[in-house]
Amino acid sequence: MNMIKLNYLPILLSCLLPIFAFGQWTIKKVDNGFDEPYKIAYSATNSGAILKLESLVTEKTVYPKIIQDTCLTVSKLNYQVLVYDSITSNYVLSKGYFSLFSDEYFVIYDVLSNSTSNEKFYRVYADDKFGVIRANDLTLNLTEIQGKILKQPMESNIAKSKAIELLDVNKKQQPYDKKVQEIAFYLSGGYHCDDEIPVDISFLIGNEYKKYNVQGTKSENSTVVFLVDDLMTDPMKADFLKASLVKLRFNESHCQSDYYEFKMTGSKAALDFISKP
């Protein structure tokens, strides 16, 4: 969670009076004459707490997308796999092998099929070496990979050369830092004990509840719990916009668990207002 200092001004408290009557999301642009103007969106109070949306500009590390090819397939894994040096015409893998570790690029340039056992193998280029991987050792889409190769078949030496170029292009890509806008979704108010709190969130849509479980993170003063870093990219965004009511249960381990309920009238207008420049 992003522990970015949030805006708390006395003017916020003065804005709470009308929302008791309407019980809906309220939007405001705040300019105190000293700091940069900012936008706030908040719900009606419930047991001394309110739900809030706030636009935050943060710097994130952006990892480049894998550059693919029309016939070859580039991938990275999040686990270790064995790459064998070679395979015989009878589909016997050599005893020599090397390990392809997590987050290493590799290129699949051919698929081999053992008609006797129906076992599949990938010819790959990785770590400046050519080798063979059992297809069952990977969680990739075999049909898609094979389809690309069959659609544009090429000679082995050309495929190998293309694999070397494709791997090199991907390895040269570097992560970079970029400033991005995020819409923080959090609960302000109350007192919370745990640094990290499992929170159950249920959005009432029609006559059914859509349920989510998030790991909330409390602020240093224990009065704010950050629920979602960026609501715009979170799966719950659609239900946030459609719900008529939301229920939140904070499952504390060191103090009493808290339960809150808020009306969601005006939630779409609130998110639109906050997300626009």
Side-chain angles (χ1 to χ4, degrees):
M1 286 287 180
N2 297 314
M3 294 300 155
I4 301 176
K5 185 177 180 182
L6 300 173
N7 299 306
Y8 299 102
L9 296 174
I11 189 169
L12 176 61
L13 297 178
S14 67
C15 297
L16 294 180
L17 291 176
I19 61 179
F20 285 110
F22 299 105
Q24 63 181 19
W25 280 82
T26 298
I27 57 178
K28 281 191 176 295
K29 186 171 183 179
V30 178
D31 187 352
N32 63 7
F34 298 101
D35 305 305
E36 281 293 317
Y38 66 94
K39 296 177 179 180
I40 56 173
Y42 51 94
S43 67
T45 57
N46 184 311
S47 301
I50 59 175
L51 282 178
K52 289 186 69 176
L53 296 175
E54 186 166 348
S55 176
L56 305 171
V57 176
T58 182
E59 194 168 85
K60 278 197 165 185
T61 300
V62 179
Y63 294 91
K65 293 182 179 179
I66 292 177
I67 299 173
Q68 291 292 354
D69 180 77
T70 55
C71 53
L72 309 186
T73 298
V74 187
S75 186
K76 289 172 74 174
L77 304 176
N78 58 3
Y79 54 88
Q80 183 179 344
V81 68
L82 294 181
V83 182
Y84 295 88
D85 291 337
S86 62
I87 188 170
T88 68
S89 58
N90 294 324
Y91 299 98
V92 177
L93 290 167
S94 66
K95 293 183 180 179
Y97 61 85
F98 64 94
S99 291
L100 183 63
F101 296 99
S102 178
D103 285 334
E104 285 190 89
Y105 288 107
F106 65 98
V107 181
I108 299 173
Y109 65 91
D110 197 8
V111 178
L112 305 175
S113 302
N114 185 346
S115 58
T116 304
S117 64
N118 291 322
E119 188 174 13
K120 307 285 187 180
F121 304 87
Y122 295 126
R123 288 195 186 277
V124 302
Y125 176 68
D127 195 26
D128 298 326
K129 303 174 187 175
F130 291 98
V132 179
I133 298 177
R134 295 181 189 274
N136 286 338
D137 289 344
L138 304 180
T139 57
L140 302 177
N141 188 326
L142 172 62
T143 303
E144 182 180 320
I145 293 169
Q146 196 167 27
K148 288 174 65 177
I149 293 172
L150 292 175
K151 191 175 182 180
Q152 298 186 43
M154 61 182 70
E155 295 181 5
S156 178
N157 61 327
I158 297 176
K160 285 184 175 181
S161 177
K162 199 173 183 70
I164 293 172
E165 294 176 5
L166 195 55
L167 186 71
D168 186 55
V169 167
N170 277 284
K171 288 174 71 173
K172 284 181 178 178
Q173 293 194 103
Q174 296 295 324
Y176 59 95
D177 292 332
K178 179 181 178 181
K179 288 186 177 180
V180 296
Q181 180 196 39
E182 295 183 331
I183 307 300
F185 179 41
Y186 60 96
L187 181 102
S188 176
Y191 184 84
H192 308 277
C193 299
D194 298 342
D195 290 334
E196 293 189 351
I197 308 168
V199 182
D200 301 319
I201 303 177
S202 291
F203 293 101
L204 180 61
I205 302 173
N207 296 318
E208 295 184 3
Y209 283 98
K210 287 291 296 290
K211 301 174 183 178
Y212 295 87
N213 306 106
V214 301
Q215 194 74 4
T217 305
K218 76 169 184 176
S219 62
E220 292 182 2
N221 64 4
S222 301
T223 63
V224 173
V225 178
F226 303 90
L227 302 171
V228 174
D229 284 334
D230 185 15
L231 186 59
M232 297 298 289
T233 58
D234 195 272
M236 73 171 63
K237 174 187 172 184
D239 294 322
F240 176 93
L241 295 173
K242 292 186 292 185
S244 59
L245 183 77
V246 63
K247 297 181 179 181
L248 300 96
R249 182 170 59 195
F250 291 72
N251 303 297
E252 301 265 11
S253 63
H254 291 91
C255 57
Q256 183 177 352
S257 294
D258 294 320
Y259 171 84
Y260 301 95
E261 195 172 299
F262 300 93
K263 289 184 178 180
M264 293 294 288
T265 309
S267 60
K268 185 180 185 305
L271 187 57
D272 288 345
F273 176 75
I274 289 293
S275 60
K276 291 178 181 177

